[in-house]
Amino acid sequence: MMTQVEGQQKTLVHAIESLPGSGPLTALDQDLLLLKATSAATLSCLGECLSLLQQSLHHAGQSSHRPAASESILGWHRPKSHSAEQLKNGTLGSLPSASASITWAILPNSTEDEQAFPPEPEPEPEPNSGPELVLSEDEKSDTEDQEETELGVMEDQRSVILHLISQLKLGMDLTKVVLPTFILEKRSLLEMYADFLAHPDLLLAVAAGATPQDRVIGFVEYYLTAFHEGRKGALAKKPYNPIIGETFHCSWEVPKVKVKARRTALPAPAGHEHPMADDSSKNYKLRFVAEQVSHHPPISCFYCECKEKRLCVNTHVWTKSKFMGMSVGVSMIGEGVLRLLEHGEEYVFTLPSAYARSILTLPWVELGGKVSIACAKTGYSATVIFHTKPFYGGKVHRVTAEVKHNPTNTIVCKAHGEWNGTLEFTYNNGETKVIDTTTLPVYPKKIRPLEKQGPMESRNLWREVTRCLRLGDMEAATEQKRRLEEKQRAEERKRENLRAPWRPKYFIQEGDGWVYFNPLWKAH
């Protein structure tokens, strides 16, 4: 029956696409575009139902036959049960969203499975450019308001999105896709990674833990609170795809009196305050640098360190996005390592997947998947599960976590709640603690003004696109973006002709990963 339905859907699409380009009824008629998109979503939903039925045969007697939230992003073989949630509400807006919390590259306008847009080219910085010294005294508190307006998708934009969606195929790799300018967020992906450090006091507090158990629990508490500030408003938009060689620098100053071991700390103060101190000697300094080290595949690296606390984090992430019929999923492939040099401990962690929903109404984001945190030296590990919303009922943005001491097989902490709301922690001594992520104090980034930034630094590189987006001038923003892309293509062709491989400024490839060129653990 599925084969028959697939054939009927292809016949329908072919009939619509065979209509003349002009006249009373064309292939771009909005109702017909909606029909194509709806038929594709229906086919996907039927495929998911078939998979669930097949799984129930293999897992008879189990209480639940739905795949776990941690399963991979695939087509129909292991579908996500949450992807039909808008269908149950009777909305036709249940089509893939154009962005996700840590998402980019989504909608192609090609009917060929393997056909990609011309790849976004890669500009080359000045010849022989190496790591640059970024003067922290030039950095000032970031006052730029980057909150995204939540207007949803405009009527004139909907037909463009419908046309793109109607030509997607299940399982299509969307990494190389160029999107319409109107769904862009006013910041680069590299800066979004920096925004995950909006609570640096919690990160620095990890090193203040008196015991290995305190430190691993402190890191889990920081990890669970890190994602909510990565969004600027509830609206899901797509950050700029970083250009190869693009960098982002910033820092935070954290009053030393604010950094305490999280196991014994009092609940966080309410209000979105900006806690800062004038005397730099009373502050810890946390420095951050991010760089796009590869374009195919798209790999971003970031590194941050606090010399006084002898703490640093080195992370590399390869983003891979797929069309899943009723949603878009983005896998975050790679890992990060938190090093506490004072204790000789390394905490290796992974990142969740992100999903984009409801492109035709108000796009929104959810995280999903199973991530791990592990310290080989102490034997402590943690499992964190970001739960996606099920078919019927259920809450959104749920997360659960469990911290375990593997040598003794003892669970020392459990957590549950919402990654962008309230989190409750229960410890093995019977104590509990609640953290409300919405009332945690946010520490503003310190960043140099545009006139002191280099040409490949994120805000300076994208300044004209950002200016046009702020003015609401989408045509001008698209033109500015096109100029950047043309420059990239020219530089990429130049490198290919010279057979000169790209050499990042700040990161060095080691095995399958990337490491900062002058990390704290090598400098001391």
Side-chain angles (χ1 to χ4, degrees), residues 255-292:
K256 293 181 179 179
V257 295
K258 297 287 186 179
V259 177
K260 302 171 184 176
R262 299 307 297 174
R263 279 285 268 122
T264 55
L266 295 172
H272 287 84
E273 56 186 296
H274 283 173
M276 299 296 290
D278 295 330
D279 185 355
S280 61
S281 65
K282 295 180 181 178
N283 296 341
Y284 289 119
K285 185 89 164 183
L286 187 67
R287 302 175 190 276
F288 177 95
V289 58
E291 181 178 11
Q292 190 73 4

Side-chain angles (χ1 to χ4, degrees), residues 125-297:
E126 297 84 0
N128 303 319
S129 61
E132 297 170 358
L133 180 64
V134 176
L135 300 176
S136 60
E137 54 264 32
D138 291 339
E139 294 178 332
K140 303 184 185 306
S141 289
D142 185 20
T143 57
E144 191 167 307
D145 179 17
Q146 294 190 318
E147 199 75 15
E148 295 293 331
T149 53
E150 300 184 12
L151 298 177
V153 178
M154 300 295 101
E155 197 61 40
D156 58 336
Q157 300 167 354
R158 192 166 307 193
S159 60
V160 176
I161 299 172
L162 276 168
H163 181 55
L164 294 178
I165 292 172
S166 68
Q167 299 184 61
L168 292 177
K169 294 189 177 182
L170 285 170
M172 183 180 285
D173 186 350
L174 308 176
T175 304
K176 301 177 183 178
V177 173
V178 177
L179 285 172
T181 306
F182 58 77
I183 58 86
L184 290 178
E185 188 176 333
K186 297 186 288 290
R187 61 174 173 170
S188 171
L189 174 68
L190 298 184
E191 182 170 354
M192 190 173 76
Y193 286 138
D195 290 332
F196 292 151
L197 288 159
H199 307 306
D201 55 329
L202 299 189
L203 178 61
L204 296 179
V206 176
T211 66
Q213 180 173 316
D214 289 348
R215 291 190 289 274
V216 70
I217 290 174
F219 184 47
V220 171
E221 291 177 0
Y222 160 74
Y223 186 95
L224 293 177
T225 61
F227 294 98
H228 78 105
E229 270 298 315
R231 295 308 317 153
K232 297 298 181 182
L235 187 66
K237 286 198 169 187
K238 170 190 171 297
Y240 306 139
N241 274 345
I243 292 168
I244 193 168
E246 179 181 336
T247 61
F248 182 80
H249 302 264
C250 68
S251 66
W252 294 264
E253 288 190 1
V254 184
K256 293 181 179 179
V257 295
K258 297 287 186 179
V259 177
K260 302 171 184 176
R262 299 307 297 174
R263 279 285 268 122
T264 55
L266 295 172
H272 287 84
E273 56 186 296
H274 283 173
M276 299 296 290
D278 295 330
D279 185 355
S280 61
S281 65
K282 295 180 181 178
N283 296 341
Y284 289 119
K285 185 89 164 183
L286 187 67
R287 302 175 190 276
F288 177 95
V289 58
E291 181 178 11
Q292 190 73 4
V293 298
S294 171
H295 192 65
H296 300 305

Side-chain angles (χ1 to χ4, degrees), residues 114-128:
E114 299 302 323
Q115 180 177 343
F117 280 77
E120 291 185 22
E122 304 158 343
E124 189 174 19
E126 297 84 0
N128 303 319

Side-chain angles (χ1 to χ4, degrees), residues 367-435:
L367 301 181
K370 182 178 181 179
V371 302
S372 62
I373 298 169
C375 178
K377 178 181 177 180
T378 64
Y380 283 97
S381 66
T383 300
V384 180
I385 299 176
F386 293 86
H387 300 268
T388 49
K389 190 176 182 300
F391 264 124
Y392 298 104
K395 294 182 179 179
V396 294
H397 310 311
R398 279 202 319 122
V399 63
T400 56
E402 189 175 272
V403 183
K404 188 176 183 180
H405 185 238
N406 295 296
T408 59
N409 203 32
T410 304
I411 295 172
V412 298
C413 175
K414 286 188 174 183
H416 69 274
E418 300 169 350
W419 57 265
N420 59 356
T422 302
L423 297 159
E424 183 175 340
F425 295 83
T426 305
Y427 309 105
N428 60 344
N429 62 2
E431 293 179 5
T432 61
K433 180 169 71 174
V434 174
I435 296 178

